[in-house]
Amino acid sequence: GAVVSQHPSRVICKSGTSVKIECRSLDFQATTMFWYRQFPKQSLMLMATSNEGSKATYEQGVEKDKFLINHASLTLSTLTVTSAHPEDSSFYICSAARGSTEAFFGQGTRLTVV
Amino acid sequence: KQEVTQIPAALSVPEGENLVLNCSFTDSAIYNLQWFRQDPGKGLTSLLLIQSSQREQTSGRLNASLDKSSGRSTLYIAASQPGDSATYLCAVPSGGYQKVTFGTGTKLQVIP
């Protein structure tokens, strides 16, 4: 089966620092990856679409300068939360597209900004 | 824009009961529908994926049905167990086959 690995699973960082989350497709190539976030007691919402070798496409209301996405290879996309603040504390999850019809999810990252 | 709603938002049942979770979506032109389970503080576990050409899928005590024309899917859990306690999410493709819109979720508690 298709495996998507997300790292770290949990991270605590101080306010004002940056934190990087990695999303890797372990056994397939993914030209497209997606990043979602989930605020407490809310559902998962798409943040951005990450395309290998090109700029990410962000959903309305998501600050692209704050949430930097890099998709440098066919198996790795990274999400960097810059100058994190407590309101950025959330659950972030990625998915990687295999072919045109399937996407597989990572396990997610719980970010806490203190 | 695809909107996905799940009813009920929360459900508490005694162990052993059979139960049904509902998912409705506004755009019926979907390629598939997926049900996930999310445990508190943890990631997603994929439970069932139903292709648009299928009407239902089964995995163990779980059975999911899909009625595209009415924009509905149900997840049936037979003989519920305390270990089934979690939040259940349905998800449908949104504006493409790969990115999805998640439902609002049903938080299930199975009481021993």
Side-chain angles (χ1 to χ4, degrees):
Chain A
V3 179
V4 176
S5 175
Q6 192 171 334
H7 178 80
S9 57
R10 289 179 177 271
V11 59
I12 301 173
C13 71
K14 291 185 177 180
S15 186
T17 63
S18 296
V19 60
K20 180 185 287 187
I21 303 170
E22 293 187 348
C23 180
R24 293 181 184 271
S25 56
L26 298 186
D27 52 359
F28 66 98
Q29 294 183 330
T31 55
T32 305
M33 293 186 179
F34 302 92
W35 288 95
Y36 300 80
R37 67 180 169 187
Q38 182 181 39
F39 291 112
K41 299 186 179 181
Q42 295 186 29
S43 192
L44 286 148
M45 301 291 291
L46 180 67
M47 294 177 65
T49 301
S50 169
N51 299 296
E52 188 267 336
S54 64
K55 291 183 178 180
T57 304
Y58 292 81
E59 296 298 303
Q60 190 173 7
V62 178
E63 301 175 62
K64 59 183 178 182
D65 294 331
K66 181 168 188 62
F67 299 99
L68 301 180
I69 292 173
N70 187 304
H71 194 153
S73 78
L74 288 171
T75 59
L76 174 64
S77 175
T78 60
L79 169 67
T80 301
V81 183
T82 62
S83 187
H85 288 101
E87 57 264 33
D88 298 324
S89 298
S90 186
F91 178 72
Y92 295 86
I93 193 165
C94 69
S95 70
R98 183 175 73 176
S100 61
T101 60
E102 293 180 292
F104 300 90
F105 284 85
Q107 282 298 97
T109 297
R110 175 78 53 190
L111 170 64
T112 303
V113 185
V114 298
Chain B
K1 180 184 175 184
Q2 180 74 271
E3 293 183 6
V4 185
T5 305
Q6 291 184 244
I7 295 173
L11 183 62
S12 183
V13 300
E15 181 177 4
E17 272 203 8
N18 302 323
L19 53 100
V20 175
L21 309 182
N22 298 289
C23 171
S24 61
F25 44 94
T26 54
D27 184 351
S28 61
I30 62 171
Y31 188 81
N32 57 44
L33 182 144
Q34 198 162 0
W35 282 93
F36 293 90
R37 166 187 175 137
Q38 185 176 30
D39 292 281
K42 300 200 176 171
L44 298 180
T45 300
S46 178
L47 298 174
L48 290 164
L49 171 69
I50 313 176
Q51 302 292 348
S52 61
S53 58
Q54 300 173 316
R55 291 194 64 85
E56 61 179 63
Q57 275 279 17
T58 298
S59 175
R61 294 183 293 108
L62 305 179
N63 176 277
S65 67
L66 173 63
D67 184 344
K68 277 184 55 177
S69 60
S70 66
R72 294 175 187 272
S73 176
T74 60
L75 179 66
Y76 176 82
I77 302 177
S80 58
Q81 302 172 357
D84 295 330
S85 299
T87 295
Y88 290 80
L89 298 168
C90 65
V92 296
S94 171
Y97 292 145
Q98 304 147 336
K99 60 181 177 180
V100 299
T101 297
F102 285 90
T104 47
T106 294
K107 186 174 183 180
L108 172 65
Q109 182 181 25
V110 181
I111 303 167

